[in-house]
Coordinates of all heavy atoms in Angstrom, one line a residue:
M128 N 115.5 84.3 120.5 CA 114.1 84.1 120.4 C 113.8 83.3 119.2 O 114.2 83.7 118.1 CB 113.3 85.4 120.5 CG 111.9 85.2 120.4 SD 111.1 86.9 120.6 CE 109.5 86.4 121.3
A129 N 113.0 82.3 119.2 CA 112.7 81.4 118.1 C 111.7 82.2 117.2 O 110.9 82.9 117.6 CB 112.1 80.2 118.6
K130 N 111.8 81.9 115.9 CA 110.9 82.5 114.9 C 109.6 81.8 115.1 O 109.5 80.6 115.3 CB 111.4 82.3 113.5 CG 112.5 83.1 113.2 CD 112.8 82.9 111.6 CE 114.0 83.6 111.2 NZ 114.3 83.5 109.8
T131 N 108.5 82.6 114.7 CA 107.2 82.0 114.6 C 107.1 81.3 113.3 O 108.0 81.5 112.4 CB 106.1 83.0 114.7 OG1 106.2 83.9 113.6 CG2 106.1 83.8 116.0
D132 N 106.2 80.4 113.1 CA 106.0 79.7 111.9 C 105.8 80.7 110.8 O 106.3 80.6 109.7 CB 104.8 78.7 111.9 CG 105.2 77.5 112.8 OD1 106.3 77.3 113.1 OD2 104.2 76.8 113.2
E133 N 104.9 81.7 111.0 CA 104.6 82.7 110.1 C 105.8 83.5 109.6 O 106.1 83.7 108.5 CB 103.5 83.6 110.6 CG 103.1 84.7 109.5 CD 101.9 85.5 109.9 OE1 101.5 85.4 111.1 OE2 101.3 86.2 109.0
Q134 N 106.7 83.9 110.6 CA 107.9 84.6 110.3 C 108.8 83.8 109.4 O 109.5 84.2 108.5 CB 108.6 85.1 111.5 CG 109.8 86.0 111.2 CD 109.5 87.2 110.5 OE1 108.5 88.0 110.8 NE2 110.2 87.5 109.4
F135 N 109.0 82.5 109.8 CA 109.8 81.6 109.0 C 109.3 81.5 107.5 O 110.1 81.6 106.6 CB 109.7 80.2 109.6 CG 110.4 79.1 108.8 CD1 111.8 78.9 108.9 CD2 109.7 78.3 108.0 CE1 112.5 78.0 108.2 CE2 110.3 77.3 107.2 CZ 111.7 77.2 107.3
L136 N 108.0 81.4 107.3 CA 107.5 81.3 106.0 C 107.6 82.6 105.2 O 108.0 82.6 104.0 CB 106.1 80.9 106.0 CG 105.8 79.5 106.5 CD1 104.3 79.1 106.8 CD2 106.4 78.4 105.6
M137 N 107.5 83.7 106.0 CA 107.6 85.0 105.3 C 109.1 85.3 104.9 O 109.3 85.8 103.8 CB 107.2 86.2 106.3 CG 105.6 86.1 106.6 SD 104.7 86.4 105.2 CE 105.0 88.1 104.8
D138 N 110.0 84.9 105.8 CA 111.4 85.0 105.4 C 111.7 84.1 104.2 O 112.5 84.5 103.3 CB 112.3 84.5 106.6 CG 112.3 85.5 107.7 OD1 111.9 86.7 107.5 OD2 112.8 85.1 108.8
R139 N 111.2 82.9 104.1 CA 111.4 82.0 102.9 C 110.8 82.7 101.7 O 111.5 82.7 100.6 CB 110.7 80.7 103.2 CG 111.0 79.7 102.0 CD 110.4 78.4 102.2 NE 111.0 77.6 103.2 CZ 110.5 76.4 103.7 NH1 109.4 75.9 103.1 NH2 111.2 75.8 104.6
M140 N 109.7 83.3 101.8 CA 109.1 84.0 100.6 C 110.0 85.2 100.2 O 110.2 85.4 99.0 CB 107.6 84.5 101.0 CG 106.6 83.5 101.2 SD 106.3 82.4 99.8 CE 105.5 83.5 98.7
S141 N 110.5 85.9 101.1 CA 111.5 87.0 100.8 C 112.7 86.5 100.1 O 113.1 87.1 99.1 CB 111.9 87.7 102.0 OG 110.8 88.4 102.6
M142 N 113.2 85.4 100.5 CA 114.3 84.7 99.9 C 114.0 84.4 98.4 O 114.9 84.6 97.5 CB 114.7 83.4 100.6 CG 115.8 82.7 99.9 SD 116.1 81.0 100.6 CE 114.6 80.1 100.1
M143 N 112.8 83.9 98.1 CA 112.5 83.5 96.8 C 112.1 84.7 95.9 O 111.9 84.4 94.7 CB 111.3 82.5 96.9 CG 111.7 81.2 97.5 SD 110.4 80.0 97.5 CE 109.5 80.4 99.0
E144 N 112.2 85.9 96.3 CA 111.9 87.0 95.5 C 113.2 87.6 94.9 O 113.2 88.4 93.9 CB 111.3 88.2 96.3 CG 109.8 87.8 96.7 CD 109.2 88.8 97.7 OE1 109.9 89.8 98.0 OE2 108.0 88.6 98.0
V145 N 114.4 87.2 95.4 CA 115.6 87.7 94.9 C 116.1 87.1 93.6 O 115.7 85.9 93.3 CB 116.7 87.6 95.9 CG1 116.4 88.4 97.2 CG2 117.1 86.2 96.2
E146 N 116.9 87.8 92.8 CA 117.3 87.4 91.5 C 118.1 86.1 91.6 O 118.0 85.2 90.7 CB 118.1 88.5 90.8 CG 118.4 88.2 89.3 CD 117.1 88.1 88.5 OE1 116.1 88.8 88.8 OE2 117.1 87.4 87.5
G147 N 118.9 85.9 92.6 CA 119.7 84.7 92.8 C 118.8 83.5 92.9 O 119.2 82.4 92.4
W148 N 117.7 83.6 93.5 CA 116.7 82.4 93.6 C 116.2 82.0 92.2 O 116.2 80.9 91.9 CB 115.6 82.7 94.6 CG 114.6 81.6 94.6 CD1 113.5 81.5 94.0 CD2 114.8 80.4 95.4 NE1 112.9 80.2 94.3 CE2 113.7 79.6 95.2 CE3 115.8 79.9 96.3 CZ2 113.5 78.3 95.8 CZ3 115.7 78.7 96.9 CH2 114.5 77.9 96.6
H149 N 115.9 83.0 91.4 CA 115.4 82.7 90.1 C 116.5 82.2 89.2 O 116.2 81.2 88.4 CB 114.8 84.0 89.5 CG 113.6 84.6 90.2 ND1 112.4 84.1 90.2 CD2 113.6 85.7 91.0 CE1 111.6 84.8 91.0 NE2 112.3 85.8 91.5
D150 N 117.7 82.6 89.4 CA 118.8 82.0 88.7 C 119.0 80.5 89.1 O 119.3 79.7 88.2 CB 120.1 82.8 88.9 CG 120.1 84.2 88.4 OD1 119.3 84.5 87.5 OD2 120.9 85.0 88.8
L151 N 119.0 80.3 90.4 CA 119.1 78.9 90.9 C 118.0 78.0 90.3 O 118.3 76.9 89.8 CB 119.1 78.9 92.4 CG 119.0 77.5 93.0 CD1 120.3 76.7 92.7 CD2 118.8 77.6 94.5
C152 N 116.8 78.5 90.3 CA 115.7 77.7 89.7 C 115.9 77.4 88.2 O 115.6 76.3 87.8 CB 114.4 78.3 90.0 SG 113.8 78.3 91.8
A153 N 116.4 78.4 87.5 CA 116.6 78.2 86.1 C 117.7 77.2 85.9 O 117.6 76.3 85.0 CB 117.0 79.5 85.4
D154 N 118.8 77.2 86.7 CA 119.8 76.2 86.6 C 119.4 74.9 86.9 O 119.7 73.9 86.3 CB 121.0 76.6 87.5 CG 121.8 77.8 87.0 OD1 121.7 78.2 85.9 OD2 122.6 78.4 87.9
L155 N 118.5 74.7 87.9 CA 118.0 73.4 88.3 C 117.1 72.8 87.2 O 117.1 71.6 87.0 CB 117.3 73.5 89.6 CG 118.2 73.8 90.9 CD1 117.3 74.0 92.1 CD2 119.1 72.6 91.1
K156 N 116.3 73.7 86.6 CA 115.4 73.2 85.5 C 116.3 72.7 84.3 O 115.9 71.6 83.7 CB 114.5 74.3 85.0 CG 113.4 74.6 86.0 CD 112.5 75.8 85.6 CE 111.5 76.1 86.7 NZ 110.8 77.3 86.4
N157 N 117.4 73.4 84.0 CA 118.3 72.9 83.0 C 118.9 71.6 83.4 O 119.0 70.6 82.6 CB 119.4 73.9 82.7 CG 118.9 75.1 82.0 OD1 117.9 75.1 81.2 ND2 119.5 76.2 82.1
L158 N 119.3 71.5 84.7 CA 120.0 70.3 85.2 C 119.0 69.1 85.1 O 119.3 68.0 84.7 CB 120.5 70.5 86.6 CG 121.1 69.3 87.3 CD1 122.3 68.9 86.5 CD2 121.5 69.7 88.7
E159 N 117.7 69.4 85.5 CA 116.7 68.4 85.5 C 116.5 67.8 84.1 O 116.3 66.6 83.9 CB 115.4 69.0 86.0 CG 114.2 68.1 86.0 CD 112.9 68.7 86.5 OE1 112.7 69.9 86.2 OE2 112.2 68.0 87.2
S160 N 116.4 68.7 83.1 CA 116.2 68.2 81.7 C 117.4 67.4 81.3 O 117.2 66.5 80.5 CB 116.0 69.4 80.8 OG 117.2 70.2 80.7
N161 N 118.6 67.6 81.7 CA 119.7 66.8 81.4 C 119.7 65.5 82.2 O 120.1 64.5 81.6 CB 121.1 67.5 81.7 CG 121.3 68.7 80.7 OD1 120.8 68.6 79.6 ND2 121.9 69.7 81.2
I162 N 119.3 65.5 83.4 CA 119.2 64.2 84.2 C 118.2 63.2 83.7 O 118.5 62.0 83.7 CB 119.0 64.6 85.7 CG1 120.2 65.3 86.3 CG2 118.6 63.4 86.5 CD1 119.9 65.8 87.7
I163 N 117.1 63.7 83.2 CA 116.0 62.8 82.9 C 116.3 62.1 81.5 O 115.5 61.3 81.1 CB 114.6 63.4 82.9 CG1 114.5 64.6 81.9 CG2 114.3 63.9 84.3 CD1 113.2 65.2 81.8
N164 N 117.4 62.4 80.9 CA 117.8 61.7 79.7 C 118.0 60.2 80.0 O 118.9 59.9 80.7 CB 119.0 62.3 79.0 CG 119.4 61.7 77.7 OD1 118.9 60.7 77.3 ND2 120.4 62.3 77.1
I165 N 117.2 59.3 79.4 CA 117.3 57.9 79.7 C 118.6 57.3 79.3 O 119.1 56.3 79.9 CB 116.1 57.1 79.1 CG1 116.0 55.8 79.7 CG2 116.3 57.0 77.6 CD1 114.6 55.4 80.1
N166 N 119.3 58.0 78.4 CA 120.6 57.5 78.0 C 121.7 57.6 79.0 O 122.7 57.0 79.0 CB 121.1 58.2 76.7 CG 120.2 57.9 75.5 OD1 119.7 56.7 75.3 ND2 120.0 58.9 74.7
N167 N 121.4 58.4 80.1 CA 122.4 58.5 81.2 C 122.3 57.4 82.2 O 123.1 57.3 83.1 CB 122.1 59.8 81.9 CG 122.5 61.0 81.1 OD1 123.2 61.0 80.1 ND2 121.8 62.1 81.3
I168 N 121.3 56.5 82.0 CA 121.1 55.4 83.0 C 121.8 54.1 82.5 O 121.3 53.6 81.5 CB 119.6 55.2 83.2 CG1 118.9 56.5 83.7 CG2 119.4 54.1 84.3 CD1 117.4 56.5 83.9
N169 N 122.9 53.8 83.1 CA 123.6 52.6 82.6 C 123.5 51.4 83.6 O 123.9 50.3 83.3 CB 125.1 52.9 82.5 CG 125.2 54.0 81.4 OD1 124.6 53.9 80.3 ND2 126.1 55.0 81.6
S170 N 123.0 51.7 84.8 CA 122.9 50.7 85.8 C 121.8 51.0 86.8 O 121.2 52.1 86.8 CB 124.2 50.5 86.6 OG 124.4 51.7 87.3
E171 N 121.5 50.0 87.6 CA 120.4 50.3 88.7 C 121.0 51.3 89.7 O 120.2 52.2 90.1 CB 120.2 49.0 89.4 CG 119.1 49.1 90.5 CD 118.7 47.8 91.2 OE1 119.2 46.7 90.7 OE2 118.1 47.9 92.2
Q172 N 122.2 51.4 90.0 CA 122.8 52.3 90.8 C 122.6 53.8 90.2 O 122.3 54.7 90.9 CB 124.3 52.1 91.1 CG 124.9 53.1 92.1 CD 126.4 52.7 92.3 OE1 126.9 51.8 91.8 NE2 127.0 53.6 93.2
D173 N 122.9 53.9 88.9 CA 122.7 55.2 88.2 C 121.2 55.6 88.4 O 120.9 56.8 88.6 CB 123.0 55.1 86.8 CG 124.5 55.0 86.5 OD1 125.3 55.2 87.4 OD2 124.8 54.6 85.3
L174 N 120.3 54.7 88.3 CA 118.9 55.0 88.4 C 118.6 55.6 89.8 O 117.8 56.6 89.9 CB 118.0 53.7 88.2 CG 116.5 53.9 88.4 CD1 115.9 54.8 87.3 CD2 115.9 52.5 88.3
W175 N 119.1 54.9 90.8 CA 118.9 55.4 92.2 C 119.5 56.8 92.4 O 118.9 57.6 93.1 CB 119.3 54.4 93.2 CG 118.4 53.2 93.3 CD1 118.7 51.9 92.8 CD2 117.1 53.2 93.8 NE1 117.6 51.1 93.0 CE2 116.6 51.9 93.6 CE3 116.2 54.1 94.4 CZ2 115.3 51.4 94.0 CZ3 115.0 53.6 94.7 CH2 114.5 52.4 94.5
I176 N 120.6 57.0 91.9 CA 121.3 58.3 92.0 C 120.5 59.4 91.3 O 120.2 60.4 91.9 CB 122.8 58.2 91.5 CG1 123.6 57.4 92.4 CG2 123.3 59.7 91.3 CD1 125.0 57.1 91.7
I177 N 120.0 59.1 90.1 CA 119.3 60.0 89.3 C 117.9 60.3 90.1 O 117.5 61.5 90.2 CB 119.0 59.6 88.0 CG1 120.4 59.6 87.1 CG2 117.9 60.4 87.2 CD1 120.3 58.9 85.8
K178 N 117.3 59.3 90.6 CA 116.1 59.5 91.4 C 116.3 60.4 92.6 O 115.4 61.3 92.8 CB 115.6 58.1 91.8 CG 114.2 58.2 92.5 CD 113.7 56.8 92.9 CE 112.4 56.9 93.7 NZ 111.9 55.6 94.0
G179 N 117.4 60.2 93.3 CA 117.7 61.1 94.4 C 117.9 62.6 94.0 O 117.5 63.5 94.6
Q180 N 118.7 62.7 92.9 CA 118.9 64.0 92.3 C 117.6 64.7 92.0 O 117.3 65.9 92.3 CB 119.8 64.0 91.1 CG 121.2 63.6 91.4 CD 122.0 63.3 90.2 OE1 121.5 63.0 89.2 NE2 123.3 63.5 90.4
L181 N 116.7 64.0 91.3 CA 115.4 64.6 90.9 C 114.5 64.9 92.1 O 113.8 65.9 92.0 CB 114.7 63.6 89.9 CG 115.3 63.5 88.6 CD1 114.6 62.3 87.7 CD2 115.2 64.8 87.8
R182 N 114.6 64.1 93.1 CA 113.8 64.5 94.3 C 114.3 65.8 95.0 O 113.4 66.6 95.3 CB 113.9 63.4 95.3 CG 113.0 62.2 95.1 CD 113.0 61.2 96.2 NE 112.0 60.2 95.9 CZ 111.7 59.3 96.8 NH1 112.1 59.3 98.0 NH2 110.8 58.4 96.5
I183 N 115.5 66.0 95.0 CA 116.1 67.2 95.5 C 115.7 68.4 94.7 O 115.2 69.5 95.2 CB 117.6 67.1 95.7 CG1 117.9 66.2 96.8 CG2 118.2 68.5 96.1 CD1 119.4 65.7 96.9
I184 N 115.8 68.3 93.4 CA 115.5 69.3 92.4 C 114.0 69.7 92.5 O 113.6 70.8 92.6 CB 115.9 68.9 90.9 CG1 117.4 68.9 90.8 CG2 115.2 69.8 90.0 CD1 117.9 68.3 89.5
N185 N 113.2 68.6 92.5 CA 111.7 68.9 92.6 C 111.3 69.5 93.9 O 110.5 70.4 94.0 CB 111.0 67.5 92.4 CG 111.0 67.1 91.0 OD1 111.1 67.9 90.1 ND2 111.0 65.8 90.8
F186 N 112.0 69.2 95.0 CA 111.8 69.8 96.3 C 112.0 71.3 96.2 O 111.2 72.1 96.6 CB 112.6 69.2 97.5 CG 112.5 70.0 98.7 CD1 111.4 69.8 99.6 CD2 113.6 70.7 99.1 CE1 111.4 70.6 100.7 CE2 113.5 71.5 100.2 CZ 112.4 71.4 101.1
I187 N 113.2 71.7 95.7 CA 113.6 73.0 95.6 C 112.6 73.8 94.7 O 112.2 74.9 95.0 CB 115.0 73.2 95.2 CG1 115.9 72.6 96.3 CG2 115.4 74.6 95.0 CD1 117.4 72.5 96.0
L188 N 112.3 73.2 93.5 CA 111.5 73.9 92.5 C 110.1 74.1 93.0 O 109.4 74.9 92.6 CB 111.6 73.2 91.2 CG 112.9 73.2 90.5 CD1 112.8 72.4 89.2 CD2 113.3 74.7 90.2
S189 N 109.6 73.2 93.9 CA 108.2 73.3 94.4 C 108.2 74.1 95.7 O 107.1 74.2 96.3 CB 107.6 71.9 94.6 OG 108.3 71.2 95.6
L190 N 109.3 74.6 96.2 CA 109.3 75.2 97.5 C 108.4 76.5 97.5 O 107.8 76.7 98.5 CB 110.7 75.6 97.9 CG 111.1 75.9 99.3 CD1 110.6 74.8 100.3 CD2 112.5 76.2 99.5
D191 N 108.4 77.2 96.5 CA 107.6 78.4 96.4 C 106.2 78.1 96.6 O 105.5 78.7 97.4 CB 107.9 79.1 95.0 CG 107.2 80.4 94.9 OD1 106.9 81.1 95.9 OD2 106.9 80.9 93.8
T192 N 105.7 77.1 95.8 CA 104.3 76.7 95.9 C 103.9 76.2 97.3 O 102.9 76.6 97.9 CB 103.9 75.7 94.9 OG1 104.2 76.2 93.6 CG2 102.4 75.3 94.9
A193 N 104.8 75.3 97.8 CA 104.5 74.7 99.1 C 104.5 75.8 100.2 O 103.7 75.8 101.1 CB 105.6 73.7 99.4
T194 N 105.4 76.8 100.1 CA 105.5 77.8 101.1 C 104.2 78.7 101.0 O 103.7 79.1 102.0 CB 106.8 78.7 100.9 OG1 107.9 77.8 101.0 CG2 106.9 79.7 102.0
T195 N 103.8 79.1 99.8 CA 102.6 79.9 99.7 C 101.4 79.2 100.3 O 100.6 79.8 101.0 CB 102.4 80.2 98.2 OG1 103.5 80.8 97.6 CG2 101.2 81.0 98.0
I196 N 101.3 77.9 100.0 CA 100.1 77.1 100.6 C 100.2 77.1 102.1 O 99.2 77.3 102.8 CB 100.1 75.7 100.0 CG1 99.7 75.8 98.5 CG2 99.1 74.8 100.7 CD1 99.9 74.5 97.8
A197 N 101.4 76.8 102.6 CA 101.6 76.8 104.1 C 101.2 78.1 104.7 O 100.6 78.2 105.8 CB 102.9 76.3 104.4
L198 N 101.7 79.2 104.1 CA 101.5 80.5 104.7 C 100.0 80.9 104.6 O 99.4 81.4 105.6 CB 102.3 81.5 103.9 CG 102.3 82.9 104.5 CD1 102.8 83.0 105.9 CD2 103.2 83.9 103.6
E199 N 99.3 80.5 103.5 CA 97.9 80.8 103.4 C 97.1 80.0 104.5 O 96.2 80.5 105.1 CB 97.4 80.5 102.0 CG 97.8 81.4 101.0 CD 97.5 81.0 99.6 OE1 97.0 79.8 99.4 OE2 97.8 81.7 98.6
E200 N 97.4 78.7 104.7 CA 96.7 77.9 105.7 C 97.0 78.4 107.1 O 96.1 78.5 107.9 CB 97.2 76.5 105.6 CG 96.6 75.8 104.3 CD 97.0 74.3 104.2 OE1 97.8 73.9 105.0 OE2 96.6 73.7 103.2
L201 N 98.2 78.8 107.3 CA 98.5 79.4 108.7 C 97.8 80.7 108.9 O 97.2 80.9 110.0 CB 100.1 79.6 108.7 CG 100.6 80.1 110.1 CD1 100.4 79.0 111.2 CD2 102.0 80.5 110.0
Q202 N 97.7 81.5 107.9 CA 97.0 82.8 108.1 C 95.5 82.6 108.2 O 94.8 83.4 108.8 CB 97.4 83.7 106.9 CG 98.8 84.3 107.1 CD 99.3 85.0 105.9 OE1 98.6 85.0 104.8 NE2 100.3 85.8 106.1
D203 N 95.0 81.5 107.6 CA 93.6 81.2 107.7 C 93.2 80.5 109.0 O 92.1 80.2 109.2 CB 93.1 80.3 106.5 CG 93.1 81.1 105.2 OD1 93.0 82.4 105.3 OD2 93.1 80.4 104.1
G204 N 94.2 80.2 109.8 CA 94.0 79.5 111.1 C 94.0 78.0 111.0 O 93.5 77.3 111.8
N205 N 94.4 77.4 109.8 CA 94.5 76.0 109.6 C 95.9 75.6 109.5 O 96.5 75.5 108.4 CB 93.7 75.6 108.3 CG 92.3 76.0 108.4 OD1 91.7 75.9 109.3 ND2 91.8 76.5 107.2
P206 N 96.6 75.3 110.6 CA 98.0 75.0 110.6 C 98.3 73.7 109.7 O 97.5 72.9 109.7 CB 98.4 74.8 112.0 CG 97.2 74.8 112.9 CD 96.1 75.3 112.0
T207 N 99.4 73.7 109.0 CA 99.8 72.6 108.2 C 100.2 71.4 109.0 O 100.6 71.5 110.1 CB 100.9 73.0 107.2 OG1 102.0 73.5 107.9 CG2 100.4 74.0 106.2

């Protein structure tokens, strides 16, 4: 049986409450601060690689906020 949207979001929120999630986010924040060092960019290819890395990091770090907003809208009857 397929999960409902609400159950999917609730499961995601539960995942983000565990210590391992907080450890991952801390590691990603450290990685992000190292990546954005302009001295690491030696070519256009490096720039595109760093841009991709930062997009993934930002997606994961903003997942908590995005999930909370989606769940609130779903529970208010305004699907995302």
Side-chain angles (χ1 to χ4, degrees):
M128 179 177 209
K130 287 185 183 182
T131 63
D132 291 343
E133 185 173 9
Q134 184 60 50
F135 174 81
L136 295 171
M137 294 297 291
D138 288 347
R139 185 182 284 177
M140 293 297 291
S141 294
M142 174 190 70
M143 291 183 277
E144 292 174 358
V145 299
E146 191 63 30
W148 179 261
H149 298 286
D150 293 342
L151 173 64
C152 288
D154 287 345
L155 290 174
K156 287 175 185 175
N157 288 333
L158 181 60
E159 180 182 37
S160 66
N161 291 329
I162 289 174
I163 60 174
N164 181 353
I165 195 135
N166 293 324
N167 293 335
I168 302 172
N169 298 315
S170 68
E171 184 178 346
Q172 182 178 2
D173 289 346
L174 176 65
W175 288 107
I176 290 169
I177 290 169
K178 183 177 180 180
Q180 291 171 336
L181 289 172
R182 281 189 175 190
I183 292 168
I184 290 170
N185 288 330
F186 169 77
I187 294 171
L188 292 177
S189 67
L190 196 57
D191 185 24
T192 302
T194 302
T195 300
I196 291 169
L198 188 57
E199 288 171 356
E200 288 180 358
L201 184 66
Q202 290 173 340
D203 289 342
N205 302 320
T207 55

